[in-house]
Amino acid sequence: MKKIALSRLGDLFAAVSAGQKLYIPSDSRGQAQFLPYEPGMELTKALNTVRSAKDLFFPQTENLVGFQVRGKEISVVDRRDPGEPFVVFGVRACDAASFEILDRVFLSDPVDTFYAARRAHGTVVTLSCPQPEETCFCGVFSIDPAAPGGDVSGWMAGEALCLRANTEKGAALLASLDLLEDAGEAEIERSQAATRAILKKLPLADLSLEGFDGEHLMQRFESPAWAKLSESCLGCGTCTFVCPTCQCYDVRDFDTGRGVERFRCWDSCMYSDFTMMAHGTNRPTQLERFRQRFMHKLVYFPANNDGVYGCVGCGRCLSRCPISMNIVKVARTLGEETK
């Protein structure tokens, strides 16, 4: 365990950024975002960023490959970014848990080499939550905001930032920072106890996921409650774009006039043209699209991934949905049928 005074956070960030690129959660245009560190930049006081650190491993837009046409000859140009080592600091426990969900998708055969390269290059430094908010429900998924994962776990305890390495990458990072001092586990225990006490009192702490599993798939799928739940959905896709675990994307080719560039871009199952085929769309109504999103998070994904849900309880969809419809309301409404 290592520590550094909070008053010296700027020195810590400077030391880390001197060796590799550093991203920290900071305020820009009134919103908290993960941004490349620059001298003088300060940590946001917000609990969570608007969008998660997923962007650094699975970017919203990515140039995959180019096709150059010269007469009758077509050459393929690899547009892959070779990448460079980087550190992302201040990732909360919920977002750190989301990487494990994304890994199950992108690192399973066939491995997504673009994502895999970024995971190999990135070192994740997490930060515990001193004050979980009313929209948080990570505890429902057995995520402890007082014991975040990542390559390095961090706690702001008293006047110090305490850091503990969890992986070889994390140990290498801390070993490279001479300004850190030794610390004991006791220094973080009070901080952990305070966070866990708050977690128990949150309004969503008692959210039940009973009956959300593969054995109840058809019961959930055929529930009449979907009609009422989905009737006010705008299909805007906001919930999918702020979600740290959504992984749907589309691949499009664009004619540049000098050739063709192929891009991968985030997509949303809430859009009417999602999975559009020559014959049309498989889910022509908003009810079907709405149902697909929440069935995937709460039923399909855990049924195929050893009981791991496709949600980490970060609460972003609760705070961002323009009509206040979210995964909690779905779980509670369908949960009443189980009772």
Side-chain angles (χ1 to χ4, degrees):
M1 181 78 76
K2 298 291 185 178
K3 69 177 180 179
I4 187 171
L6 292 179
S7 60
R8 298 191 64 197
L9 274 184
D11 296 336
L12 174 65
F13 294 154
V16 174
S17 62
Q20 51 191 314
K21 195 162 188 176
L22 170 66
Y23 295 87
I24 69 169
S26 188
D27 294 324
S28 176
R29 298 179 181 178
Q31 294 185 327
Q33 310 174 50
F34 281 99
L35 300 171
Y37 175 74
E38 296 179 357
M41 187 179 290
E42 296 184 355
L43 283 177
T44 180
K45 290 182 171 56
L47 179 70
N48 246 329
T49 51
V50 174
R51 291 204 326 220
S52 76
K54 175 183 74 173
D55 296 37
L56 300 174
F57 300 95
F58 175 41
Q60 184 173 354
T61 304
E62 186 172 19
N63 194 181
L64 300 179
V65 65
F67 302 93
Q68 298 295 327
V69 182
R70 295 181 179 86
K72 295 183 179 180
E73 294 185 0
I74 300 177
S75 58
V76 179
V77 183
D78 189 354
R79 300 299 191 196
R80 184 188 307 271
D81 180 357
E84 58 182 349
F86 68 91
V87 175
V88 52
F89 177 90
V91 177
R92 299 300 186 185
C94 51
D95 285 355
S98 76
F99 298 146
E100 299 174 17
I101 294 171
L102 296 175
D103 287 352
R104 287 175 174 266
V105 176
F106 292 118
L107 299 185
S108 297
D109 288 330
V111 173
D112 186 307
T113 56
F114 291 83
Y115 175 85
R118 292 190 178 91
R119 285 291 275 147
H121 285 134
T123 300
V124 177
V125 180
T126 59
L127 202 56
S128 68
C129 300
Q131 186 76 34
E133 296 178 346
E134 291 187 353
T135 53
C136 297
F137 57 106
C138 60
V140 173
F141 303 101
S142 301
I143 298 170
D144 185 356
D151 298 300
V152 176
S153 297
W155 295 266
M156 288 187 176
E159 298 300 318
L161 169 66
C162 297
L163 300 166
R164 182 177 65 204
N166 301 319
T167 66
E168 290 183 6
K169 283 195 294 186
L173 174 63
L174 296 190
S176 69
L177 301 171
D178 296 334
L179 69 175
L180 299 179
E181 304 174 3
D182 289 333
E185 293 286 336
E187 297 193 42
I188 66 171
E189 291 177 356
R190 181 178 300 177
S191 172
Q192 289 181 313
T195 295
R196 289 167 180 156
I198 294 172
L199 199 65
K200 293 178 182 178
K201 299 176 182 178
L202 294 180
L204 303 180
D206 62 346
L207 180 65
S208 173
L209 297 178
E210 181 182 356
F212 288 96
D213 51 54
E215 295 180 7
H216 296 81
L217 191 156
M218 291 312 300
Q219 177 186 347
R220 293 285 176 245
F221 187 87
E222 295 173 349
S223 170
W226 291 114
K228 183 67 174 177
L229 287 167
S230 65
E231 66 180 359
S232 59
C233 179
L234 304 176
C236 66
T238 298
C239 54
T240 58
F241 278 73
V242 299
C243 178
T245 66
C246 279
Q247 65 271 167
C248 291
Y249 61 86
D250 192 12
V251 175
R252 296 285 183 95
D253 290 346
F254 293 90
D255 185 351
T256 65
R258 299 181 302 276
V260 173
E261 295 295 327
R262 178 167 294 171
F263 288 87
R264 169 162 71 180
C265 309
W266 289 358
D267 203 351
S268 173
C269 58
M270 305 296 270
Y271 292 163
S272 59
D273 60 353
F274 185 73
T275 64
M276 180 72 75
M277 300 181 185
H279 76 282
T281 179
N282 291 323
R283 303 185 186 94
T285 68
Q286 195 61 37
L287 183 154
E288 292 168 290
R289 296 189 286 272
F290 183 92
R291 178 176 60 191
Q292 165 62 23
R293 169 170 168 74
F294 296 108
M295 285 290 289
H296 179 253
K297 298 286 187 188
L298 298 174
V299 182
Y300 303 154
F301 197 88
N304 292 288
N305 289 276
D306 307 313
V308 176
Y309 289 94
C311 176
V312 292
C314 69
R316 287 183 176 92
C317 63
L318 277 71
S319 61
R320 295 292 167 180
C321 178
I323 53 97
S324 299
M325 178 50 66
N326 52 67
I327 197 168
V328 170
K329 289 185 178 180
V330 169
R332 282 184 166 167
T333 300
L334 299 186
E336 288 299 317
E337 297 178 346
T338 302
K339 295 178 182 178

